[in-house]
Amino acid sequence: MRDYSGNKILNKMGLSLLKETVTAGVYKTPDPSQVNIFHFRQLLHRLAGHVLEGGELTEQDEEHLKKLGADCASFLMMKAYDRFSYTQILSLLTDILKKVGVPQVNEQTSVKSPKEHMLLSLATDVYDASPNQQELLPYIMKVNPLPVVKNQQIKITAHTGENEEWISTGLYLPPGLKTKIILPLKLVNSGWKIQIGCQSDELHKEELWRAPYVIKIFPVASEKMQVWNMWGGLIYLLAPRDVKVDEEEVVVQEAVSAPYYKSGVTKEADWSSLRQAPAPWAEMEFDNIILTVPSHIVRELERPEEVEKLWNGIMKGVADLAVIPQKFIRKERIVADVQISVGYMHSGYPVMMHSTVAKRILDAEYIRTNGLWGELHELGHNQQRSCWEFPPHTTEATCNLWPLYINEQVLGVSRAKANDVAPEFRKKTIKEYVEGGKKLDDWYTWTALETYMELQDKFDWDAFKKVFAIYHKMKTYPSDNGGKMNLYAETFSKVVNMNLTGFFKAWGWPIEQATVEKLSNLPPWTDHPMAQYS
């Protein structure tokens, strides 16, 4: 809104280009005389009249409030304090927030109405644009003061690859508190950022248990950066791609200590006091993964070394099956949140999960007894590669190779116990697929996973590892599913020294005659589990 060259010209005409796009097409010009048309200033005026003077909002006004909130956010990004129109609207929005406040959301209380949606979304934007943030904060939320530590020195080490990396500081910034962070000159204007908050999902939900966007990011533009976040949050340095820094010192002038355990750094004798740190979020950083959970969970954790041993073993299992180095270039992250953008959990950096079930990922005894599935399913998603993936068929299937492998090979828990992948369920899955005509359109999720489990039953996990290792070395591969499936059938057949084309055909794969001929010198797998249905 401010830095794009086109907007520097257009802003003088009262116009701005947003980052969003629209679908190409022909659009009818709105008629300003229509009653129901959305008009930014007019609807804002009616909303102010409704809040400040008790005026009525029409049903159409209510429907447009969500868009009004988005447009207000875009408008406020201009920070044009030298323009009367800008300060006038900022003042009006401030008055609205002061009058009605912001809906208080948490695990027990959600918001659903368009008006509450708008107010919750707008609070951050008005607060960030406000010249009197401390005066506005009490109208937005109730802040419980936490004990602050001063001039904390943090050593930063980062050896990144092709992805940005979050570096934990073990510090938390309370809602509304501003602090200064002093950084080395080499980090200035070189792609480094400061992030306040770990719940990075942006929510687009009809019902909200938290604000739609609760992190704040500051590009490092000077050696001394002032940072804040109205919602508060853990403090991170974001290292850009392809950088290497060792033991660089960063000083945080004011913050709150968070419970923070780090492998090789935290001493067992110190943990009893460290876990009582007052910040509401805690982190457990192990060799290849960092777990972020509500602090009350770790305050009950007396033996972190057991959890460390467990997760180091799990991540070693992830690397073993994926045939990647035991030391991850970037540690995986799992972050708990009161509400996430999609699903029960989802993959990515970080993997997101609901805070209501976060306790179990630190319960070593429970995991070793009962196994773990959802978290390993998401970590499996992070290991999927396009060259051996056939979306949408295998999107929710091949990721499950990792929970299967880790439960059985690392945790010693059977697949049936870990996620009820029992023989009866497997037989039912095959029967339904066969009775449906063995159509590739029906080959997905558990049905697709059954294909891979039958391969594993016959050839064991070493075959998968050898196949993955071959794919790591491939420079080119087909882009279409059919081509990739033929390549996979050929690759797996050569690894196990057996012609598997009949097996894959029985599962409905589009195996080409050329692939059959390539593998004709290998003995065929004739007694495969699907032979009885051919």
Side-chain angles (χ1 to χ4, degrees), residues 129-366:
S130 174
N132 300 304
Q133 291 178 339
Q134 292 307 113
E135 178 192 327
L136 181 59
L137 188 63
Y139 293 94
I140 296 175
M141 65 171 64
K142 295 175 183 177
V143 178
N144 297 318
L146 295 172
V148 170
V149 292
K150 296 183 180 291
N151 297 320
Q152 293 296 293
Q153 297 177 342
I154 312 293
K155 295 291 186 181
I156 297 298
T157 294
H159 297 175
T160 61
E162 59 185 24
N163 295 301
E164 185 179 69
E165 181 177 358
W166 299 6
I167 300 173
S168 301
T169 64
L171 297 171
Y172 171 84
L173 198 61
L177 178 67
K178 291 188 176 183
T179 193
K180 286 192 172 123
I181 299 181
I182 301 166
L183 306 109
L185 181 60
K186 65 160 61 176
L187 272 55
V188 177
N189 292 324
S190 57
W192 284 77
K193 301 169 188 171
I194 299 165
Q195 177 174 299
I196 313 298
C198 57
Q199 282 81 15
S200 54
D201 271 5
E202 187 167 359
L203 304 180
H204 301 278
K205 305 276 190 179
E206 291 301 315
E207 187 171 6
L208 293 172
W209 277 269
R210 71 151 168 87
Y213 193 69
V214 292
I215 67 168
K216 191 161 178 62
I217 296 176
F218 300 81
V220 175
S222 64
E223 291 178 79
K224 185 178 282 190
M225 293 286 300
Q226 185 178 60
V227 299
W228 68 90
N229 184 351
M230 189 191 82
W231 302 106
L234 292 170
I235 302 173
Y236 299 92
L237 271 293
L238 270 53
R241 298 170 51 184
D242 301 318
V243 299
K244 185 175 181 179
V245 299
D246 290 290
E247 295 292 304
E248 292 289 340
E249 186 175 278
V250 172
V251 178
V252 181
Q253 290 191 342
E254 280 189 301
V256 173
S257 295
Y260 179 42
Y261 180 95
K262 187 171 183 178
S263 293
V265 176
T266 305
K267 294 176 180 167
E268 189 176 337
D270 297 331
W271 177 242
S272 59
S273 60
L274 289 174
R275 62 183 166 144
Q276 300 302 329
W281 292 97
E283 292 202 313
M284 309 292 289
E285 181 169 348
F286 306 133
D287 288 352
N288 283 312
I289 194 166
I290 303 166
L291 310 176
T292 307
V293 298
S295 291
H296 69 84
I297 296 174
V298 305
R299 292 194 181 110
E300 302 170 5
L301 182 64
E302 294 182 356
R303 301 188 63 189
E305 64 277 4
E306 288 295 316
V307 184
E308 176 182 11
K309 182 179 177 182
L310 170 74
W311 277 99
N312 285 347
I314 286 173
M315 297 310 294
K316 182 178 182 297
V318 171
D320 284 344
L321 182 58
V323 196
I324 59 175
Q326 293 289 302
K327 176 66 176 173
F328 282 40
I329 295 174
R330 179 177 73 173
K331 295 182 182 185
E332 295 277 20
R333 284 182 175 271
I334 299 180
V335 172
D337 196 354
V338 66
Q339 188 176 17
I340 64 177
S341 60
V342 63
Y344 179 64
M345 297 180 189
H346 72 72
S347 59
Y349 183 81
V351 169
M352 296 297 301
M353 70 181 302
H354 290 275
S355 51
T356 51
V357 293
K359 185 176 181 178
R360 74 175 176 213
I361 65 173
L362 298 182
D363 191 337
E365 183 180 352
Y366 173 87

Side-chain angles (χ1 to χ4, degrees), residues 31-50 56-58 60-61 64-65 68 71-72 88-89 92 96 118:
D31 180 358
S33 66
Q34 290 182 4
V35 177
N36 297 335
I37 192 171
F38 174 86
H39 187 284
F40 175 68
R41 279 184 173 276
Q42 290 176 5
L43 181 53
L44 183 58
H45 176 74
R46 289 197 295 274
L47 176 65
H50 166 69
E56 292 293 323
L57 286 179
T58 67
Q60 287 76 21
D61 287 342
H64 288 145
L65 284 179
L68 177 65
D71 283 1
C72 285
Q88 183 188 44
I89 287 177
L92 187 60
I96 290 172
M118 180 199 170

Side-chain angles (χ1 to χ4, degrees), residues 337-492:
D337 196 354
V338 66
Q339 188 176 17
I340 64 177
S341 60
V342 63
Y344 179 64
M345 297 180 189
H346 72 72
S347 59
Y349 183 81
V351 169
M352 296 297 301
M353 70 181 302
H354 290 275
S355 51
T356 51
V357 293
K359 185 176 181 178
R360 74 175 176 213
I361 65 173
L362 298 182
D363 191 337
E365 183 180 352
Y366 173 87
I367 292 173
R368 291 194 186 281
T369 303
N370 299 284
L372 197 64
W373 193 273
E375 295 83 354
L376 304 182
H377 169 99
E378 304 305 344
L379 291 172
H381 270 308
N382 286 354
Q383 293 303 322
Q384 287 175 318
R385 299 294 179 264
S386 174
C387 48
W388 47 260
E389 270 296 289
F390 323 126
H393 306 288
T394 56
T395 303
E396 296 298 328
T398 53
C399 57
N400 284 326
L401 293 172
W402 274 265
L404 285 173
Y405 179 82
I406 291 164
N407 277 293
E408 293 181 348
Q409 302 297 309
V410 178
L411 302 176
V413 177
S414 71
R415 60 185 63 173
K417 187 174 184 179
N419 198 36
D420 198 27
V421 189
E424 297 76 19
F425 174 80
R426 294 179 62 180
K427 288 176 184 175
K428 180 174 178 284
T429 300
I430 297 169
K431 184 181 179 206
E432 289 176 353
Y433 184 63
V434 171
E435 289 177 353
K438 295 193 292 185
K439 294 179 286 193
L440 196 60
D441 285 347
D442 297 328
W443 187 77
Y444 59 89
T445 313
W446 298 108
T447 306
L449 181 63
E450 177 61 30
T451 303
Y452 294 93
M453 286 196 289
E454 289 179 358
L455 290 170
Q456 191 275 327
D457 290 339
K458 172 71 174 177
F459 303 108
D460 211 351
W461 289 110
D462 280 347
F464 283 89
K465 294 176 185 179
K466 289 174 183 176
V467 168
F468 289 144
I470 291 170
Y471 272 99
H472 284 317
K473 298 173 185 175
M474 282 187 187
K475 296 277 196 286
T476 60
Y477 55 88
S479 59
D480 63 297
N481 276 350
K484 288 194 288 185
M485 292 170 103
N486 276 269
L487 176 61
Y488 191 88
E490 179 184 345
T491 304
F492 213 111

